[in-house]
Amino acid sequence: MFDSLHPVRDLTGFVVPEIGRLVETGDPSEPYRLLDPAGEPVIAVALYFADLQAASRKNSTIRSYGLDLLRWFRFLWALGIEWDRATQAEARDFTRWMAVADKPVRVHWRRQRQGITEPSPRPKGRPRPGTPNPVTGKLTPDDKYALRTRAHFETVARGFYDFHRDFGTGPILNPFPLARSRRAGRANAHHNPMDPFSNERQGRYRPTVPKRIPRRIPDEKFNELFAALKYNRDRALLAHWISTGARAEELLTSKEKDALPGQQLIGVIRKGTDDYQQLPASPDAFVWLRLAQEEAWSKGAPRGRNQTLWWTLRRPWRPLSYHAARAMFDRANDLLGSNWTLHDLRHTAAYRMARDPQVKLTNVQWVLGHAHLSTTEIYLPPDRDEMIQDLAAHHARQARKLEEPAPPPPPAPGYNTESLNVLFGGRP
C-alpha cells in the first residue's frame, strides 16, 4: 500500500542489499570512510566523522556510528532516495523495517575462501535464537535487531541530521524528530533541583529500552568455566578480569612493564578517558601470568618492557585482539553449553567487591572507573540468581510449615501445664 498523501510502504519481503561499505583507512586524520556502491566516499558522512573527531570521539565510536549510517544509507540506496531528500516517511519506514527484518548473517572468512556463500549451520544442541540458555538463563541473540541497536541508530541518525542542519549542508527538517510531546519548550523547564534530570529530548522513533540488571557468574559456574580453559594465558586473562574488574579491551592494552607482581598491580588504559590506571589484582592472577609468559618466551615470543603482555599462541606472534579473546571465551562456553560474555566477568567482579562489607563503595567506583557513584550502586541489590535462591528457600520453608503439626495452644490462665501433660498423656 502506497498513497501519495499518506505513503505507507509495504515492507513484506523488502530486502536491503549489502551495498557500500565502511572501511578502515589507517589514516589518523580519517580513521574510517563510508563508501557508496560505486566505491566513492560519501562526503556527508565524511564531514560528520570529521566533526566527531574534532569533538574528541574515539575511533571505536566513529566506527560504531559509521555502521549505523551504512545501514541507513543502504536503505535509501535501495529506494533510490538521496540522503538530504529523506523525509519522516523514510525514517518511519526504516524504523519499521528494523523492527521486522532479520539481521544479515555473516559468512566466515574461511568459508568465503572456499567459495561457500552460506553461513555455517547452527551446532546441534545450541538453543535457538531468542530463547533462554539452559545454563545461564540469559537470552541468546535473536535473529531480529535488538532494541538497544535500534535505539542507538535513532540517536546516531538524529545527530547526523542535526549536524548537517546546523552546518547548513542538510535539510532544515530532521527526518528523525523529537517526540511530539517533548519537542516544544525548553528541556527540564520546571525541574525540581532536588530531583534528578529526566530525559526530555527523546526521539519520536526511538524504542523504549528496558533497564537490564547486570548478570554475574556464580562462583561454581566460574570454576567450571576456568577449568574448561586449555592454556595458561587464558587462565591468566580470566584471573585478571575477575579480580580487577577491568573491561575486556582495557586489560589487553597492558604491556610487560605494567604488570607489577610485587605490588599486585597491573596498569591499563581506560576506555572512556584514555587515562592510565593501576588496578589491584589477585596473587593467583600473577602466578598464571608468569606461567603463561615462560611458555610464550620458550617458544620465541617477543619480550621487553614495551612489548604487549598478551600474545597469540602461535606464530606469527601478534598482540591478542579483543575478537580473539572473545573467541577463546566462546570456546570455553561451548564446552559448558553456556553463553556468558567477557563483560559478565566485569559484572561478577563488581558484585564481589560491592557486596563485601569491608570494601567501601567509593573504592569500587574507582576500580570500575565509573563517573558517578549511582552507576556503582546497581551492584548493591541482589541479582537475579540470588533472588531466585532466596524465593526458592522461602517456598521450601512454607512447605515445611504445612507438613509440620501445629503446636498446641497454650493453656488458659489458672491451669498447671505439668498437670495437663500428665492428664492428657503428654510429657511428665
Side-chain angles (χ1 to χ4, degrees):
M1 174 181 174
F2 191 88
D3 183 77
S4 59
L5 296 179
H6 303 284
V8 178
R9 292 182 175 86
D10 184 6
L11 301 178
T12 304
F14 182 76
V15 178
V16 176
E18 296 188 20
I19 53 180
R21 57 196 178 106
L22 182 71
V23 297
E24 186 175 5
T25 63
D27 184 359
S29 63
E30 189 184 11
Y32 289 95
R33 184 180 300 157
L34 185 65
L35 304 180
D36 62 13
E40 296 296 327
V42 180
I43 304 302
V45 177
L47 291 174
Y48 184 54
F49 284 175
D51 187 74
L52 292 175
Q53 190 178 44
S56 301
R57 297 295 185 269
K58 299 174 68 69
N59 290 349
S60 58
T61 301
I62 297 177
R63 178 182 179 274
S64 175
Y65 284 24
L67 292 175
D68 281 330
L69 292 176
L70 174 62
R71 195 178 297 116
W72 166 244
F73 271 78
R74 282 174 172 173
F75 182 82
L76 296 179
W77 290 330
L79 297 177
I81 300 176
E82 296 293 332
W83 71 272
D84 54 352
R85 300 295 180 182
T87 64
Q88 292 185 20
E90 283 71 46
R92 177 202 61 201
D93 292 339
F94 180 78
T95 305
R96 295 170 53 226
W97 174 82
M98 284 195 71
V100 300
D102 291 338
K103 294 184 296 186
V105 181
R106 301 184 183 277
V107 181
H108 197 276
W109 59 269
R110 289 193 180 93
R111 297 176 66 86
Q112 291 179 352
R113 284 185 177 180
Q114 300 172 1
I116 303 175
T117 58
E118 295 294 329
S120 303
R122 184 169 55 90
K124 294 182 178 180
R126 179 171 294 182
R128 297 185 61 84
T131 59
N133 184 276
V135 177
T136 66
K138 297 175 57 177
L139 292 177
T140 56
D142 200 354
D143 291 334
K144 307 295 182 181
Y145 289 101
L147 288 175
R148 291 183 179 274
T149 303
R150 292 156 51 190
H152 186 269
F153 163 78
E154 193 276 339
T155 301
V156 172
R158 182 153 44 89
F160 171 75
Y161 280 98
D162 280 346
F163 161 75
H164 281 285
R165 179 198 59 197
D166 298 339
F167 206 68
T169 54
I172 298 177
L173 296 179
N174 194 327
F176 295 88
L178 296 172
R180 292 186 179 93
S181 60
R182 299 182 178 181
R183 63 183 178 181
R186 179 171 58 87
N188 296 289
H190 303 285
H191 173 255
N192 185 342
M194 300 299 294
D195 298 331
F197 284 92
S198 60
N199 182 15
E200 295 192 2
R201 291 301 187 190
Q202 184 175 353
R204 181 186 304 177
Y205 302 131
R206 181 183 180 87
T208 301
V209 181
K211 189 174 183 179
R212 296 185 298 183
I213 300 177
R215 298 294 299 272
R216 68 176 178 90
I217 305 177
D219 293 343
E220 63 276 6
K221 295 298 181 181
F222 175 78
N223 294 337
E224 295 178 8
L225 199 62
F226 194 87
L229 301 176
K230 297 175 56 177
Y231 304 102
N232 288 330
R233 182 208 63 182
D234 303 339
R235 299 185 183 102
L237 279 167
L238 252 68
H240 275 88
W241 277 322
I242 202 67
S243 61
T244 62
R247 297 177 179 88
E249 58 270 26
E250 291 176 346
L251 187 63
L252 298 178
T253 63
S254 300
K255 301 184 181 299
E256 284 189 29
K257 63 182 179 181
D258 298 325
L260 305 175
Q263 305 176 38
Q264 289 186 219
L265 295 174
I266 185 168
V268 300
I269 303 296
R270 282 303 191 182
K271 178 184 177 182
T273 60
D274 286 338
D275 292 337
Y276 179 80
Q277 184 176 350
Q278 291 180 325
L279 300 175
S282 61
D284 63 300
F286 291 102
V287 173
W288 291 113
L289 175 60
R290 188 61 179 178
L291 293 173
Q293 287 178 317
E294 291 295 339
E295 288 182 357
W297 291 338
S298 65
K299 296 178 182 178
R303 60 185 301 177
R305 286 178 51 81
N306 293 321
Q307 295 289 349
T308 183
L309 196 60
W310 314 103
W311 293 98
T312 54
L313 296 174
R314 299 173 183 84
R315 295 177 184 270
W317 302 106
R318 299 184 302 274
L320 187 68
S321 66
Y322 170 79
H323 298 287
R326 187 178 63 180
M328 170 271 297
F329 196 70
D330 289 342
R331 287 191 293 269
N333 269 321
D334 291 338
L335 294 176
L336 303 180
S338 55
N339 63 344
W340 303 114
T341 64
L342 291 178
H343 204 69
D344 289 331
L345 296 171
R346 174 175 166 87
H347 291 321
T348 305
Y351 267 111
R352 290 181 177 182
M353 290 183 287
R355 306 296 293 278
D356 189 341
Q358 297 184 358
V359 177
K360 297 179 180 179
L361 192 61
T362 52
N363 294 347
V364 183
Q365 177 192 9
W366 175 82
V367 168
L368 298 178
H370 290 161
H372 304 286
L373 188 62
S374 58
T375 307
T376 315
E377 290 176 347
I378 63 176
Y379 297 102
L380 291 177
D383 67 346
R384 170 185 172 275
D385 296 328
E386 290 178 306
M387 289 187 287
I388 290 177
Q389 292 176 2
D390 293 343
L391 292 175
H394 162 73
H395 293 308
R397 290 191 299 267
Q398 293 296 112
R400 286 195 299 267
K401 288 182 180 180
L402 296 176
E403 295 174 357
E404 296 175 354
Y415 287 90
N416 188 292
T417 305
E418 296 180 359
S419 300
L420 291 175
N421 289 335
V422 174
L423 179 62
F424 294 103
R427 186 177 56 184

